[in-house]
Amino acid sequence: MYNAFEGDIMSESNCSGNCATCSSNCKDRKQEDFFEPTGEFNIIKHVVAVVSGKGGVGKSAVTAMLAVLLSRKGYKVGILDADITGPSIPKAFGITAPAMQNEMGIIPAQTENGIKIISVNMMLKEHDQPVVWRGPVIAGLVKQFWQQVVWGELDYLLIDCPPGTGDVPLTVFQTIRLDGAVVVTTPQDLVSLIVKKALNMAKLMNINVLGVVENMSYVVCPDCGKKFSVFGESGDKYSELGIKLLGSMPIDPNLAAMIDCGAVERISGDFLNAAVSEIEKL
Ligand code: ADP
């Protein structure tokens, strides 16, 4: 008897030679070979992925706010919305116009403050139309956003990654050379080991994890201003996992209202300053 789940899924002895379809982290892994260059009109200085172990934790909200904070500091910023089946970036910035194209490629939308955005929502006739596509098609679109969008010169391109550890995040990690990743979690993710899975995937893919932003960490009483950690204190659990905590965000109905009505560029707050500083160090 042996434990069928022990060790690498693909052992070196039955190696197919195709690292793109294998998750093994064996010594012969040819990770670097798959990175694709961006389009010829683009100069993108740094690429940062925003990832999460599951959906609904506020990954898109954090991506949008990081972009806003970086742009307020004078950087040229773009957001590639790779969360193809759950795109929320255009809505957070109040963008409703469809993406246009010219002879150079696909032209991203620009927000009030000049943040460049591309999302599948800008290509759908109806914004509530579901994207019912298979993994390879979705992954192909993410590649297209990387290669065929005319980003021009950017200091930072943030990628709002699809949640989880499936096909599409894998394609993002293998196609685009990332300078770093910010992991977005909620306190429950910590309990259910979802953070650990996301971190292990990043480790497997040799991604430089800058740290964690814990969203929905607490609520502030509107009457007395006292903080309540609804799901318990996270304490030192992130350092036990060997990862930096870059910020904690409260559950805040105003935040949700601003994001949901397209006014993310008007949000203030210092929850993400440490995350921004970490990105600036790249
Ligand atoms: P994800 O990208 O992880 O799926 P979203 O960023 O789309 O999650 O957030 C899901 C919903 O939760 C959105 O309606 C968003 O406005 C809301 N939300 C996110 N963070 C907060 C928060 N800290 N307080 C209140 N609402 C939030």
Side-chain angles (χ1 to χ4, degrees):
M1 292 282 279
Y2 64 96
N3 181 351
F5 296 101
E6 216 167 64
D8 289 336
I9 293 168
M10 176 80 75
S11 70
E12 285 166 50
S13 57
N14 60 3
C15 174
S16 69
N18 184 3
C19 306
T21 57
C22 174
S23 64
S24 170
N25 201 20
C26 74
K27 65 177 171 34
D28 298 322
R29 186 168 189 89
K30 290 175 280 192
Q31 168 109 10
E32 305 268 310
D33 296 354
F34 308 114
F35 293 126
E36 304 267 3
T38 185
E40 56 178 313
F41 303 108
N42 301 335
I43 300 171
I44 300 175
K45 292 185 189 152
H46 300 290
V47 185
V48 177
V50 183
V51 304
S52 67
K54 67 173 170 47
V57 299
K59 172 181 51 61
S60 303
V62 169
T63 309
M65 287 198 288
L66 286 175
V68 170
L69 293 174
L70 286 165
S71 125
R72 275 185 199 153
K73 290 193 137 192
Y75 296 113
K76 294 191 188 99
V77 185
I79 304 179
L80 188 163
D81 187 357
D83 194 351
I84 305 291
T85 54
S88 3
I89 292 295
K91 190 162 184 275
F93 288 91
I95 286 169
T96 50
M100 306 304 276
Q101 193 160 2
N102 65 17
E103 64 289 348
M104 289 161 77
I106 303 165
I107 309 301
Q110 288 217 32
T111 69
E112 274 172 31
N113 295 305
I115 298 170
K116 293 180 181 171
I117 287 176
I118 198 73
S119 169
V120 72
N121 250 17
M122 294 155 55
M123 296 176 170
L124 301 175
K125 280 205 183 95
E126 305 293 337
H127 290 163
D128 56 2
Q129 202 179 326
V131 173
V132 194
W133 299 335
R134 292 194 188 275
V137 179
I138 296 177
L141 188 62
V142 173
K143 266 193 200 178
Q144 212 179 336
F145 284 171
W146 169 240
Q147 296 183 309
Q148 291 175 22
V149 169
V150 185
W151 293 106
E153 195 179 331
L154 291 180
D155 294 305
Y156 296 102
L157 177 68
L158 303 186
I159 303 187
D160 186 2
C161 279
T165 52
D167 203 18
V168 186
L170 191 63
T171 303
V172 173
F173 297 153
Q174 289 186 325
T175 309
I176 303 174
R177 189 188 294 278
L178 301 172
D179 296 292
V182 172
V183 182
V184 182
T185 68
T186 62
Q188 295 102 312
D189 289 4
L190 204 58
V191 179
S192 61
L193 299 181
I194 286 173
V195 184
K196 239 179 162 176
K197 285 192 190 193
L199 289 175
N200 282 339
M201 180 174 186
K203 206 165 126 194
L204 195 70
M205 311 293 300
N206 293 323
I207 290 165
N208 169 25
V209 178
L210 304 179
V212 167
V213 170
E214 190 182 76
N215 192 16
M216 309 188 191
S217 298
Y218 57 93
V219 286
V220 180
C221 170
D223 295 325
C224 68
K226 200 171 163 193
K227 279 186 182 183
F228 295 95
S229 300
V230 190
F231 306 107
E233 298 282 348
S234 303
D236 291 334
K237 297 208 179 88
Y238 292 106
S239 56
E240 281 164 24
L241 285 172
I243 185 163
K244 245 191 231 175
L245 180 61
L246 298 176
S248 302
M249 300 216 309
I251 300 175
D252 180 354
N254 293 327
L255 208 75
M258 298 279 275
I259 291 168
D260 295 341
C261 79
V264 71
E265 284 175 294
R266 270 165 248 158
I267 290 177
S268 53
D270 56 3
F271 326 112
L272 296 178
N273 288 358
V276 169
S277 306
E278 210 58 38
I279 291 173
E280 284 182 293
K281 284 184 203 159
L282 286 172

